[in-house]
Amino acid sequence: MALKGNTQEEQIWNFLNGKIANDYGVAGLMGNLYAESGLNPRNLENLCEKRLKEDGKTYCTDETYTAAVDTGKISRSEFLNPLPGKQYGYGLAQWTSAGRKSGLYDLAKSKGVSIGDLETQLEFLAKELSAGYRGVLSVLKTATSVKAASDKVLAGFECPADQSETVKARRAAYGQSYYNKYSVSSATTEQKGDNSMAVRIGHASISENGTINGAKGDQTGGEVCVRAFYSKPWDYMAIHPDTTVREKHAQAIEAACTNNNIGYGQSDRNTLNTLAKVAEYDLSKVGKCNCDCSSLQNVAAVASGSGASYGSNGWTTSTMKAALQKLGYKIITDATYLKTEAYCVRGAIYVKASSHTVCGLDNGASYKKTLEKAGITVNMSNTLNNNINANPYTEPTVNVKRGTTGGGAKWVQWCLWRFGLLEQSGIDGVIGIKSEAAIKIAQGRLGLVVDGIVGKNTREKFKIAIETS
C-alpha cells in the first residue's frame, strides 16, 4: 500500500488517520512522535550515536547505522542491544526494548525493505497499537482534544522518564500544530490565521508533591512551566496598553518557567520576590525559591516596568483585579475573548478569582480583535529592528538547513523558539533533527513549501509572523 501525501509529514498524517479516524488522536500521536524522533524513521537515539562513536564504530549516524542494519553489518542481536547490556531508541517512535525492536526488525526483513522504511514503521506502529496497546488506541479514537490524546500516548505508549507537566504541554503543543495544519475541522480563518502557531501560557502550577507546598525549586520541571492554552474558565484578562510592558512580562514568565530554581509553594510564596529583587528582577538568575500562581504574576509585573510593586504578601487572585486596574491595565470580561486561544494576547494576564492565574505567551490568530475590544491601538509601525521582539542574532544571508551551524542557525532557532516549536535551550547554533522538524512545522503553518530549508522567502515569513505577534 503506497503512502499518500506530498510530504513525509502529510503521509504520516494520512496513514494514521486511516487507522484512527479521529483528528485529535492523530495529532496527539504525531506530536509525541515528533518529540521522540522529529518524525525521522531513521533516527538513532543521540546518546547511542555518541556511545558508538566512543566505541570506535563507523556506523554512528542515522544514515550509516540504518545502512549497516540493512546490509547485515549490524546483526539482529546487535540491533536489539547496540552495546553489551544497553538498549537505545530507533525509528519514529524510538522503539527501545528488545521485545519491541525485534518486531520491527523482523517485519522489515520479511518485507525485504530498509529498517528505516517509513511505511513499514507505520505498519508496525499500527500493529502495536491494535495488539498490545488497545487502551491507548481506544483513547486516540475517542479523544475530544489533542491534549487528552497526547497525554495518553505519553504515559501509555512512549513512557519516557520525564512525564512532567512541562513535557506534557510541549508535546500537546506539537500535536496542536499538526491538528491546526491538517484537521478539516480546525481550518477556519479565525482559528488558524495566516501566521498562527500553537498558543502557550506560562504559570506556577503545583508542587512536586501534587499539593500546595513543597521544597524550594522545581523538582519535576512542571511546577512553574509552559503549557498549551486552556480555559479555567477565566473571569477576566488584564492587558497593559504598552506593548513593551506586555512583552517584558511574557519574557519574565518564560525565564521563570525555564529556571528550575523556581518552584511552587504557597507557604513560602514570597521567596521568589526576595531573590528577584536581589537579581534586579532577572528571573533567569534567581536561586532556589518558591512562588504560587499570583505571586509569580506580581513579580513578572514588577519586572515588566508596569509600575507594579510587591507588597508584604504580594498579589492574590482575589486582589489582583483592583491592583491591575490601578496600574492602567485594561480588563476584559467578555467570555468570547477568554474561552479560546484565538483571542490570546502575549503578555496578557488571565485570572479566575480565588483559583488561578496565568500569562499568555503567544498571540492567537485574532489577538488584534482582543486589543480592539480593550481599546488599545494596534501599532503596525513597529519593525523587527526597533521593537522588543528583535532577534538578537544576525540574520543569515544563505540558506539554513540541517547541518548548518553558527549565528545563522541561532537566528532561525530563535524564531522557532518564539513560535513555541523549540525550547529556549535548543538555541544551540546547530540545526539538527528537531530544529529541522520544527522548521517544517513552521513552514507548513505559514503556507510555505515544506522542505526544511530556510531561505529568503522563509526568513521573510518568519519575520512577518513575529512582527505581527
Side-chain angles (χ1 to χ4, degrees):
M1 179 183 69
L3 295 175
K4 297 179 181 179
N6 296 321
T7 66
Q8 183 167 286
E9 180 184 289
E10 189 175 347
Q11 289 172 348
I12 294 172
W13 175 273
N14 289 336
F15 179 93
L16 293 177
N17 221 322
K19 302 295 181 180
I20 297 171
N22 178 14
D23 289 354
Y24 293 118
V26 175
L29 177 54
M30 282 186 67
N32 275 271
L33 295 178
Y34 166 72
E36 292 290 332
S37 65
L39 299 186
N40 177 10
R42 289 178 166 81
N43 183 231
L44 176 65
E45 184 179 337
N46 292 341
L47 181 59
C48 186
E49 291 183 357
K50 180 180 179 181
R51 294 289 183 255
L52 289 173
K53 187 174 182 179
E54 292 171 349
D55 200 45
K57 304 294 187 184
T58 57
Y59 41 82
C60 53
T61 67
D62 295 343
E63 298 303 326
T64 56
Y65 185 86
T66 298
V69 175
D70 292 344
T71 62
K73 187 173 183 179
I74 292 177
S75 66
R76 183 179 189 275
S77 60
E78 186 179 348
F79 176 68
L80 304 186
N81 298 95
L83 291 168
K86 299 293 183 180
Q87 296 181 335
Y88 297 101
Y90 179 83
L92 276 180
Q94 286 295 281
W95 289 282
T96 302
S97 69
R100 297 179 74 182
K101 288 175 77 175
S102 63
L104 173 62
Y105 182 94
D106 293 343
L107 178 60
K109 292 300 181 182
S110 70
K111 294 179 63 178
V113 299
S114 171
I115 191 71
D117 179 67
L118 176 61
E119 184 174 354
T120 298
Q121 291 197 12
L122 288 171
E123 288 177 10
F124 182 67
L125 174 62
K127 181 180 178 181
E128 277 201 318
L129 287 170
S130 62
Y133 296 88
R134 293 177 182 173
V136 174
L137 182 58
S138 176
V139 170
L140 294 181
K141 288 183 173 182
T142 59
T144 56
S145 71
V146 174
K147 181 70 165 56
S150 178
D151 286 354
K152 186 62 177 180
V153 175
L154 175 71
F157 185 77
E158 291 295 355
C159 306
D162 186 355
Q163 297 184 28
S164 64
E165 289 300 318
T166 300
V167 170
K168 289 180 180 179
R170 186 185 311 138
R171 294 196 179 206
Y174 293 154
Q176 190 66 48
S177 293
Y178 293 121
Y179 181 84
N180 292 346
K181 181 177 180 180
Y182 292 111
S183 175
V184 175
S185 63
S186 73
T188 66
T189 302
E190 181 174 273
Q191 287 178 315
K192 292 182 71 174
D194 291 333
N195 298 305
S196 62
M197 294 288 172
V199 174
R200 306 163 299 150
I201 58 92
H203 66 157
S205 177
I206 197 167
S207 78
E208 74 276 11
N209 301 315
T211 61
I212 61 173
N213 290 308
K216 287 183 172 63
D218 195 332
Q219 316 299 317
T220 66
E223 295 184 46
V224 179
C225 63
V226 174
R227 61 159 291 169
F229 180 91
Y230 71 102
S231 176
K232 188 70 178 173
W234 307 112
D235 292 335
Y236 64 90
M237 80 162 77
I239 309 173
H240 198 281
D242 190 321
T243 304
T244 300
V245 170
R246 295 198 302 272
E247 178 61 27
K248 287 185 176 180
H249 190 109
Q251 289 181 353
I253 295 296
E254 288 170 335
C257 291
T258 56
N259 182 354
N260 285 334
N261 284 322
I262 304 174
Y264 187 97
Q266 290 188 6
S267 63
D268 52 355
R269 65 194 296 272
N270 298 317
T271 55
L272 169 60
N273 182 64
T274 299
L275 296 189
K277 188 174 182 180
V278 173
E280 297 182 336
Y281 287 92
D282 181 345
L283 301 194
S284 69
K285 298 179 180 179
V286 169
K288 292 284 186 182
C289 62
N290 276 339
C291 64
D292 65 6
C293 64
S294 49
S295 69
L296 172 62
Q297 299 302 330
N298 193 166
V299 169
V302 175
S304 73
S306 67
S309 60
Y310 194 98
S312 60
N313 193 41
W315 292 346
T316 68
T317 54
S318 297
T319 64
M320 287 175 68
K321 189 173 184 178
L324 290 164
Q325 287 175 315
K326 187 175 182 180
L327 290 167
Y329 283 76
K330 305 299 182 180
I331 305 297
I332 293 180
T333 58
D334 187 332
T336 301
Y337 299 87
L338 303 174
K339 63 185 179 182
T340 72
E341 65 178 35
Y343 295 97
C344 185
V345 173
R346 178 169 167 84
I349 303 170
Y350 291 79
V351 183
K352 183 172 180 62
S354 302
S355 181
H356 197 50
T357 178
V358 305
C359 173
L361 297 181
D362 295 295
N363 286 324
S366 301
Y367 82 99
K368 292 176 187 176
K369 293 182 180 179
T370 308
L371 294 178
E372 291 172 0
K373 174 70 174 178
I376 298 173
T377 301
V378 181
N379 183 4
M380 297 305 295
S381 64
N382 286 344
T383 70
L384 287 174
N385 293 322
N386 62 20
N387 69 18
I388 196 70
N389 282 337
N391 193 320
Y393 304 104
T394 302
E395 181 180 348
T397 56
V398 298
N399 288 351
V400 173
K401 57 185 179 180
R402 186 174 175 186
T404 300
T405 62
K410 286 187 175 181
W411 186 93
V412 171
Q413 290 173 325
W414 184 89
C415 293
L416 298 173
W417 166 67
R418 282 292 284 109
F419 294 151
L421 297 175
L422 197 69
E423 291 293 300
Q424 192 168 11
S425 60
I427 307 175
D428 58 7
V430 180
I431 302 297
I433 292 171
K434 289 194 174 181
S435 291
E436 180 186 48
I439 289 169
K440 290 180 178 179
I441 292 176
Q443 287 175 324
R445 297 293 291 114
L446 296 175
L448 296 162
V449 174
V450 179
D451 58 8
I453 301 173
V454 180
K456 182 178 179 180
N457 192 30
T458 296
R459 294 199 306 271
E460 290 303 314
K461 284 286 190 177
F462 279 9
K463 289 189 291 184
I464 292 170
I466 293 171
E467 181 179 359
T468 56
S469 68

